Amino acid sequence: MSLQTPQAATVGSDLPAVTEKGSFLGYKMGEDSFVPPSVEEEEEEDGEKEKEKEKLPPILTASNTAAGGLERGAKSQFSTFSNFISTINQKKEAAGSSSSPTQLVIPNIKNVRDLPPICLDVRQKQRISIDTLPPELKAPVPPESSLPIRTKTMKDFQEDMEKAKSSGDWKAVHDFYLTTFDSFLELNAAFKKDVSLPFSTIEDSGINAKFVNAVYDALLNTPQDIQKSVLKGIINGLLQEWKGLRTKDDLRAYCILLQNPQFSNTSTYVIYAHLLRQIATLAEADHHFLAHWFKKISQRRFKQLVDRLLQFISLRLFPAKPEEFPPMIKCTWWIPSATKVLALFNAANSLANPAIIPYMDFYNSTLDHIDLMEEYHNWQCYGNSHRFSFCQYPFIISIAAKKVIIQRDSEQQMISMARQSLVDKVSRRQRPDMNMLFLNLKVRRMHLVSDSLDELTRKRADLKKKLKVTFVGEAGLDMGGLTKEWFLLLIRQIFHPDYGMFTYHKDSHCHWFSSYKCDNYSEFRLVGALMGLAVYNSITLDIRFPPCCYKKLLSPPIVPCDQNTPVGISDVSLDDLCHIIPELAHGLSELLSYEDNVEEDFYSTFQVFQEEFGVIKSYNLKPGGDKIPVTAQNRKEYVQLYVDFILNKSIYKQFAAFYYGFHSVCDSYALMLLRPEEVEILVCGSPELDMYALQRNTQYDGYLKTDLTIRYFWEVVLGFPLDLQKKLLHFTTGSDRVPVGGMADLNFKISKSETSTNWLPVAHTCFNQLCLPPYKSKKELKQKLIIGISNAEGTILIPQLQGCSNL
């Protein structure tokens, strides 16, 4: 796990301690809220702390700058968002109160002190990766303490619960909770599968998960004094265990405590924060164990733990009741601690195959409402300091927020380039004109590819300016329609099978790079630049590349300074090949599982045969591969080399040109925030369709949304199967995918066509506009619409719109 903990910047205790007055972090525990201590109490507490410090080792604390932008004010819409959070919080509290017989109150705590602080992790402009550490610890392993013997089983506990519910006598249950949560050793004694075994591997945590789940599921239905005892025991356990090296029993205890459902209640957040801080400051090797243990948690409970951490971060950023929490300046480490622990769950999710939950479930939409550009600049400017930024943990930032960062970063680069052009013009005493502020491309329709290549090559220094396209010999001002038309026409021509640059695989419905050798790969660079310009100018392209293409595009995410460094080479697997050539992947999979004599039955060597312009050519997968037979012993190596050849080596020059073309436009550090799947969504849009959202955001020209024809239209469209809905979207916008911002970003418009109702609907794809005749019946509208969207081929120019249309 790349979750290393650098040393803190300062030494000393600038955080409030837990005092004898029954207060935690300087706030008294009441029935419903925290009560600030009086001045006399603070002076008394300070005196007690000074005496206690003489007996205790110094405590490291993070510097005040560690919180980065977390103390910044919110935007103007924050009050509205806070109300939203408040409403959600009230609903959750109401739900919690209905499921629990008594209200949860944090107990008073005596003779305890503050916990060690968290030290922030800085990604230093590198993607957080999963470190495949060896199972052995790098640090010295402390000896395990002998555990007390506890004989109570899950069945015994469940019987005690039934007796307590029927009789009202909770003593046996109370004694169990009181003993079990009293210390880390007791937690292990109760929940360890076998106390005589060490369970010191990543494969098995040794935790009796069913017993833990049963105890926690029953906890919220117990009387208040039991719940208070559990929290008090957790606090005492945390205070006792933080010194020295961690044992595997300690890690097991942390894993168990994290699953406590009491931490969903905001009144327990102070305790929860200290638990998170202890886990966040563990050694890297300990994080490695926890991540592997977390991936064994059931999907439902794993999702609950992730949601709990996300809610903790959201409510700390925008508290519905600020009086429930200590001031932000006193707990700047809360959010960094929670984010680091969330990173462990993200790593566990990535280690699991398949993933336990979708990567989108780690998004925190609350972050869409903070100053994202300040977060981004903090990450860029303070990469080598302890200043926290959410950009260090990009998995938590939604794709919509990342798009905002990329767009604003692009806009700033565009402005910078335009300003530099203006300064250069003035310094040469030349008259400036508006054209210098844009990337102006002039192309002929009959020579679209060659003209586009020449223009982009000649104006390479202007690629970061706003794109404007002019078709030679055609009058018209590009207000976005011509630019989109240029993208559509160019993509269709380049990806046409006759053009030979890409091969279309019908089984997977995607394109892949042709392995044919040629003298000039500049057209592949053009395609890369085209994709980069689309992202840069917020244009969605109708391109079908497999997922591994975007993985290769981020290998590495920033162009290396050394031109000899290979680019576009990524770790590929049989699953990646299956997304492109499923039949070949199936054959190789059959080879791996074949149980008879591989060498005699397959009679293969370490070679690959490919057809190039009608000639069969052979390539060795390794030196002397033509003389090395494939056997049961070396077939895994053969398959891996075969897949690597198809996806990496055979197309290296083509993909390298494509890579450099894309990064010639998109060379922003913001790319490091993206997953390959997110790059695909930025380029091609999302495949998730919400036609009800499209209906809500549709604009009308010549129609009202209450008109009979419009009502017929939506009744028909909402009743379409998914394939017809995608055809309609492709017919009207040029793509069957949705932009990152959702249907609202399509600016979809339905215009009234004054033509005869015998005509089919017409779409201006460059303007996302559907021209619909006023059909008199629902049956006629459905029939004409299906014919139109199912047989739309070719594009023509509509002079008054200067855009392309589907007929």
Side-chain angles (χ1 to χ4, degrees):
M1 313 302 303
S2 298
L3 294 169
Q4 301 175 5
T5 306
Q7 291 186 351
T10 60
V11 176
S13 182
D14 60 352
L15 296 178
V18 184
T19 72
E20 294 185 15
K21 297 294 181 181
S23 62
F24 204 58
L25 278 178
Y27 276 70
K28 283 190 175 181
M29 303 300 174
E31 288 296 315
D32 298 313
S33 62
F34 297 104
V35 182
S38 64
V39 176
E40 292 79 11
E41 288 173 335
E42 287 181 344
E43 291 176 353
E44 182 180 349
E45 290 165 6
D46 290 341
E48 292 172 354
K49 284 190 289 183
E50 290 300 325
K51 293 179 182 178
E52 190 175 5
K53 282 182 181 179
E54 296 176 359
K55 303 177 184 179
L56 299 174
I59 302 174
L60 294 178
T61 64
S63 63
N64 288 335
T65 60
L70 298 181
E71 299 175 30
R72 295 185 292 273
K75 294 183 179 180
S76 58
Q77 67 265 40
F78 281 180
S79 58
T80 304
F81 189 77
S82 296
N83 293 336
F84 169 75
I85 290 291
S86 177
T87 304
I88 297 299
N89 192 50
Q90 289 171 4
K91 290 181 179 179
K92 290 189 175 182
E93 288 179 352
S97 62
S98 63
S99 63
S100 177
T102 54
Q103 185 178 1
L104 181 63
V105 178
I106 301 179
N108 291 339
I109 307 149
K110 295 184 178 181
N111 299 322
V112 289
R113 59 185 174 81
D114 198 14
L115 301 174
I118 183 173
C119 299
L120 300 178
D121 174 36
V122 179
R123 206 160 53 91
Q124 296 185 9
K125 298 183 180 179
Q126 293 183 5
R127 185 180 299 278
I128 289 183
S129 61
I130 300 167
D131 187 7
T132 54
L133 294 173
E136 298 78 13
L137 287 176
K138 296 180 179 178
V141 183
E144 300 282 357
S145 302
S146 58
L147 300 178
I149 303 299
R150 297 288 178 257
T151 58
K152 179 159 292 198
T153 64
M154 181 174 71
K155 184 178 179 181
D156 296 335
F157 170 77
Q158 290 173 335
E159 290 176 354
D160 289 344
M161 282 293 300
E162 292 299 323
K163 292 178 182 177
K165 289 179 181 178
S166 59
S167 66
D169 182 6
W170 291 87
K171 184 178 185 307
V173 175
H174 185 278
D175 291 344
F176 171 78
Y177 278 108
L178 185 65
T179 302
T180 300
F181 288 89
D182 183 60
S183 68
F184 282 15
L185 288 180
E186 289 289 352
L187 282 169
N188 279 272
F191 297 122
K192 200 172 180 181
K193 293 177 183 177
D194 188 339
V195 295
S196 63
L197 299 178
F199 292 105
S200 58
T201 66
I202 61 175
E203 285 77 20
D204 189 358
S205 66
I207 297 173
N208 187 338
K210 290 184 178 180
F211 196 5
V212 172
N213 295 339
V215 169
Y216 278 144
D217 289 343
L219 177 58
L220 296 183
N221 295 316
T222 60
Q224 180 183 1
D225 58 337
I226 295 179
Q227 298 185 45
K228 289 169 62 177
S229 297
V230 170
L231 290 173
K232 183 176 180 180
I234 292 174
I235 294 170
N236 290 332
L238 292 175
L239 292 171
Q240 292 168 10
E241 302 293 340
W242 71 268
K243 296 186 297 183
L245 295 172
R246 298 302 197 275
T247 65
K248 295 300 174 291
D249 285 341
D250 294 336
L251 300 186
R252 266 183 286 276
Y254 285 131
C255 193
I256 293 168
L257 291 178
L258 263 182
Q259 301 178 57
N260 189 337
Q262 291 176 294
F263 293 138
S264 294
N265 194 314
T266 55
S267 63
T268 65
Y269 272 13
V270 175
I271 307 171
Y272 190 36
H274 282 77
L275 171 63
L276 296 176
R277 179 164 65 172
Q278 285 201 14
I279 296 174
T281 53
L282 290 172
E284 182 180 357
D286 293 335
H287 284 159
H288 176 70
F289 272 87
L290 285 177
H292 279 275
W293 290 353
F294 288 163
K295 73 178 183 180
K296 303 296 177 64
I297 299 174
S298 68
Q299 182 185 35
R300 180 174 68 87
R301 295 184 186 275
F302 188 94
K303 179 71 163 59
Q304 288 175 347
L305 294 173
V306 170
D307 289 344
R308 189 176 299 151
L309 285 163
L310 292 173
Q311 176 183 295
F312 176 84
I313 294 171
S314 298
L315 292 178
R316 178 62 277 190
L317 282 172
F318 303 104
K321 299 177 180 178
E323 67 275 6
E324 288 187 339
F325 304 113
M328 179 67 86
I329 194 171
K330 296 293 185 180
C331 53
T332 55
W333 46 270
W334 279 30
I335 289 176
S337 298
T339 307
K340 288 189 70 174
V341 176
L342 192 63
L344 292 176
F345 282 95
N346 179 64
N349 196 54
S350 300
L351 285 168
N353 188 19
I356 304 170
I357 59 177
Y359 69 89
M360 295 86 73
D361 286 353
F362 286 90
Y363 288 163
N364 191 332
S365 57
T366 306
L367 303 186
D368 298 355
H369 299 264
I370 67 174
D371 191 338
L372 294 168
M373 290 312 294
E374 186 170 354
E375 290 288 326
Y376 178 62
H377 291 313
N378 283 339
W379 175 61
Q380 283 189 299
C381 300
Y382 301 97
N384 295 322
S385 73
H386 296 160
R387 194 179 182 95
F388 174 80
S389 169
F390 284 111
C391 292
Q392 296 166 344
Y393 306 92
F395 63 85
I396 198 175
I397 304 175
S398 70
I399 180 63
K402 290 173 183 173
K403 182 185 178 184
V404 170
I405 293 174
I406 291 173
Q407 282 183 334
R408 292 183 182 174
D409 188 51
S410 300
E411 290 169 0
Q412 290 175 2
Q413 292 187 44
M414 288 179 182
I415 293 171
S416 177
M417 290 296 298
R419 184 185 294 116
Q420 186 61 47
S421 296
L422 184 61
V423 170
D424 292 343
K425 201 86 169 177
V426 172
S427 64
R428 293 195 297 267
R429 297 186 178 182
Q430 297 177 350
R431 183 176 180 178
D433 61 87
M434 290 299 295
N435 287 329
M436 74 171 60
L437 304 179
F438 299 95
L439 169 60
N440 294 288
L441 302 182
K442 294 183 179 181
V443 295
R444 296 167 293 175
R445 289 184 181 272
M446 298 303 295
H447 305 276
L448 193 62
V449 175
S450 58
D451 283 3
S452 299
L453 180 61
D454 291 342
E455 284 282 270
L456 292 176
T457 302
R458 188 165 56 87
K459 299 178 180 179
R460 187 176 301 173
D462 297 334
L463 292 179
K464 293 184 181 295
K465 296 178 181 178
K466 183 69 176 175
L467 178 62
K468 295 286 185 183
V469 175
T470 302
F471 287 98
V472 176
E474 300 176 9
L477 181 63
D478 185 10
M479 301 300 292
L482 293 179
T483 295
K484 185 175 180 181
E485 182 184 10
W486 175 73
F487 276 109
L488 288 170
L489 296 178
L490 199 55
I491 289 296
R492 288 181 185 178
Q493 189 165 337
I494 288 175
F495 283 86
H496 196 280
D498 294 342
Y499 209 74
M501 289 180 64
F502 299 93
T503 303
Y504 182 73
H505 296 276
K506 293 182 179 179
D507 292 339
S508 58
H509 305 289
C510 71
H511 290 92
W512 190 242
F513 295 78
S514 171
S515 60
Y516 292 169
K517 304 296 184 293
C518 60
D519 297 329
N520 188 357
Y521 296 96
S522 58
E523 291 183 346
F524 287 98
R525 190 181 183 100
L526 168 63
V527 179
L530 198 64
M531 279 182 55
L533 286 170
V535 173
Y536 214 65
N537 291 271
S538 301
I539 301 290
T540 300
L541 298 181
D542 186 25
I543 292 179
R544 294 293 180 269
F545 279 133
C548 72
C549 174
Y550 301 97
K551 182 165 62 174
K552 289 164 65 68
L553 204 56
L554 294 178
S555 301
I558 300 298
V559 178
C561 298
D562 185 0
Q563 294 295 323
N564 296 321
T565 303
V567 296
I569 299 292
S570 65
D571 294 331
V572 289
S573 65
L574 208 53
D575 290 338
D576 294 316
L577 183 63
C578 188
H579 285 109
I580 306 171
I581 316 175
E583 186 177 358
L584 175 59
H586 178 73
L588 292 174
S589 180
E590 290 289 323
L591 170 62
L592 290 176
S593 60
Y594 193 69
E595 296 181 355
D596 292 334
N597 193 312
V598 173
E599 183 175 359
E600 292 183 2
D601 294 348
F602 281 84
Y603 199 68
S604 298
T605 58
F606 276 67
Q607 282 183 300
V608 172
F609 297 91
Q610 287 188 335
E611 180 183 351
E612 297 181 12
F613 302 107
V615 179
I616 303 295
K617 292 187 176 182
S618 63
Y619 299 91
N620 287 343
L621 295 177
K622 58 190 300 187
D626 56 328
K627 298 177 182 179
I628 303 175
V630 178
T631 65
Q633 290 71 35
N634 63 17
R635 57 184 171 181
K636 287 186 178 179
E637 180 191 10
Y638 169 77
V639 169
Q640 185 56 44
L641 290 174
Y642 199 115
V643 173
D644 183 66
F645 178 84
I646 297 295
L647 302 184
N648 282 326
K649 293 181 180 177
S650 67
I651 59 162
Y652 177 75
K653 292 184 178 179
Q654 294 90 322
F655 197 91
F658 175 77
Y659 173 94
Y660 282 117
F662 179 82
H663 287 272
S664 67
V665 184
C666 293
D667 60 349
S668 169
Y669 279 114
L671 285 179
M672 300 181 68
L673 304 177
L674 299 174
R675 296 171 56 97
E677 301 92 333
E678 293 170 330
V679 177
E680 180 179 9
I681 292 175
L682 284 177
V683 173
C684 308
S686 170
E688 302 296 329
L689 301 189
D690 184 353
M691 302 307 285
Y692 290 96
L694 182 64
Q695 180 185 16
R696 289 193 300 270
N697 292 282
T698 297
Q699 304 170 30
Y700 300 97
D701 181 15
Y703 282 119
L704 298 176
K705 64 179 180 180
T706 55
D707 287 348
L708 191 60
T709 302
I710 297 301
R711 296 208 307 269
Y712 286 157
F713 174 81
W714 288 115
E715 288 174 9
V716 168
V717 169
L718 295 176
F720 274 165
L722 181 61
D723 63 325
L724 282 181
Q725 290 179 344
K726 287 189 173 184
K727 285 183 178 180
L728 171 65
L729 202 63
H730 192 281
F731 176 74
T732 53
T733 68
S735 173
D736 61 3
R737 293 196 169 203
V738 184
V740 172
M743 291 296 190
D745 281 6
L746 276 178
N747 296 318
F748 182 68
K749 178 185 286 189
I750 298 178
S751 298
K752 188 172 185 178
S753 175
E754 299 298 343
T755 58
S756 168
T757 54
N758 294 325
W759 282 50
L760 298 176
V762 176
H764 304 304
T765 54
C766 298
F767 296 92
N768 300 337
Q769 183 178 14
L770 177 67
C771 296
L772 193 67
Y775 298 114
K776 301 300 182 184
S777 69
K778 180 178 175 180
K779 180 180 179 181
E780 182 184 16
L781 186 148
K782 181 177 181 179
Q783 181 184 20
K784 296 289 176 60
L785 186 60
I786 291 177
I787 294 174
I789 65 178
S790 301
N791 299 277
E793 287 293 337
T795 60
I796 65 169
L797 181 68
I798 304 298
Q800 66 269 30
L801 292 178
Q802 288 295 315
C804 52
S805 298
N806 284 328
L807 295 181

